[in-house]
Amino acid sequence: MILVVFLLCVIIILLILKNNKNAKEFVIADSSVFMDGRIYDIIKTNFVSFKLIVPSFVVEDLEMFSKSSDHILKSRAKKALSLINNLKKSDINIKFLNSKLEQTKNPSLTIINIAKSLKGKILTKDFSLCKEASLRNIPVLNINDLETALYPLFLPGDKILVHLVKEGEQHNHAIGYFDDKTKIIAEDAKRFIGKDVDLEITSVMFTPTGKVIFGKHEGQAK
């Protein structure tokens, strides 16, 4: 009898450990995540594993934005709502939370309160929300940080080819962009605007909006 009880206890402990191992942490998303539009692809990579929580007011905010007179905001909000519908139909672990009871006049504070009550993390692109959550010791997953980490590594002395599109702020500078929106500032290259130019990187600077690469042109434009 004692042996049977012992074996049952062992089985229960193993089941608990298994459930805890397979348990996914809660991650609460704000509207900026869906306006960005890359969350579906990020989750599908399987590099991250979590249960996505979407508060009801986030969807309501997107619905309100979709009726805005601002055409850009309206278009992005409609795409965000379409993304949410696709998430509902997918096999992604997602839950829509009725957050009326926890809602405050400050959306950021509401997200923080939900994350605190669920002992979860916040997923966002909003700098202000990141700052507020950090002050309250709430873990934050910032898509901007992920984007920065995945930028190609460029070092002074590396050679790059860039298409210059406009004049820079400094005298005789020209500006180009990579596909990921990385800004490239070419010194002494104003005359090459509208052309492809080989540059040697002189320095790389990180800013709140992304990475900026400085370079000097080599030879003639292509």
Side-chain angles (χ1 to χ4, degrees), residues 140-204:
V140 177
L141 302 174
N142 187 344
I143 292 180
N144 288 329
D145 291 341
L146 176 62
E147 183 178 19
T148 299
L150 294 176
Y151 279 147
L153 180 62
F154 292 108
L155 298 173
D158 287 349
K159 306 297 188 344
I160 58 174
L161 177 67
V162 62
H163 183 75
L164 301 177
V165 296
K166 63 181 181 180
E167 184 177 350
E169 295 180 3
Q170 301 297 320
H171 176 68
N172 219 18
H173 283 189
I175 295 175
Y177 297 91
F178 285 147
D179 291 340
D180 63 4
K181 305 299 175 60
T182 298
K183 185 177 182 179
I184 299 97
I185 298 178
E187 303 172 23
D188 192 28
K190 180 179 175 181
R191 62 188 182 280
F192 296 134
I193 291 175
K195 299 178 180 179
D196 294 333
V197 174
D198 287 314
L199 297 179
E200 178 178 339
I201 296 175
T202 56
S203 62
V204 180

Side-chain angles (χ1 to χ4, degrees), residues 14-211:
L14 289 174
L15 287 173
I16 291 173
L17 291 174
K18 181 180 178 181
N19 288 335
N20 286 337
K21 183 179 179 181
N22 293 332
K24 293 185 177 182
E25 63 182 346
F26 293 113
V27 172
I28 300 88
D30 72 345
S31 58
S32 70
V33 170
F34 301 106
M35 295 283 274
D36 174 78
R38 290 175 290 180
I39 182 60
Y40 182 87
D41 294 326
I42 290 173
I43 296 176
K44 277 297 187 180
T45 62
N46 290 321
F47 274 101
V48 289
S49 178
F50 52 74
K51 185 168 186 176
L52 188 65
I53 304 296
V54 184
S56 57
F57 79 89
V58 168
V59 179
E60 291 167 2
D61 284 349
L62 291 172
E63 289 173 342
M64 180 181 67
F65 295 153
S66 69
K67 300 172 184 176
S68 171
S69 57
D70 184 323
H71 295 298
I72 295 177
L73 179 61
K74 182 177 181 179
S75 174
R76 291 179 64 190
K78 285 185 175 181
K79 289 179 180 179
L81 290 170
S82 177
L83 171 60
I84 289 175
N85 286 330
N86 289 336
L87 287 171
K88 287 180 181 178
K89 299 173 185 176
S90 73
D91 57 353
I92 289 173
N93 198 347
I94 183 171
K95 177 179 175 60
F96 292 86
L97 178 68
N98 188 341
S99 54
K100 295 294 185 182
L101 295 178
E102 300 187 39
Q103 192 164 350
T104 68
K105 292 182 179 180
N106 183 340
S108 293
L109 184 57
T110 302
I111 293 279
I112 289 170
N113 288 341
I114 294 171
K116 189 174 182 179
S117 65
L118 293 176
K119 296 181 179 179
K121 297 179 180 179
I122 294 173
L123 181 65
T124 185
K125 279 195 68 176
D126 189 304
F127 177 77
S128 297
L129 176 54
C130 288
K131 188 174 181 179
E132 282 193 55
S134 296
L135 290 173
R136 292 171 170 80
N137 295 317
I138 303 296
V140 177
L141 302 174
N142 187 344
I143 292 180
N144 288 329
D145 291 341
L146 176 62
E147 183 178 19
T148 299
L150 294 176
Y151 279 147
L153 180 62
F154 292 108
L155 298 173
D158 287 349
K159 306 297 188 344
I160 58 174
L161 177 67
V162 62
H163 183 75
L164 301 177
V165 296
K166 63 181 181 180
E167 184 177 350
E169 295 180 3
Q170 301 297 320
H171 176 68
N172 219 18
H173 283 189
I175 295 175
Y177 297 91
F178 285 147
D179 291 340
D180 63 4
K181 305 299 175 60
T182 298
K183 185 177 182 179
I184 299 97
I185 298 178
E187 303 172 23
D188 192 28
K190 180 179 175 181
R191 62 188 182 280
F192 296 134
I193 291 175
K195 299 178 180 179
D196 294 333
V197 174
D198 287 314
L199 297 179
E200 178 178 339
I201 296 175
T202 56
S203 62
V204 180
M205 181 175 69
F206 290 90
T207 71
T209 57
K211 182 161 56 178

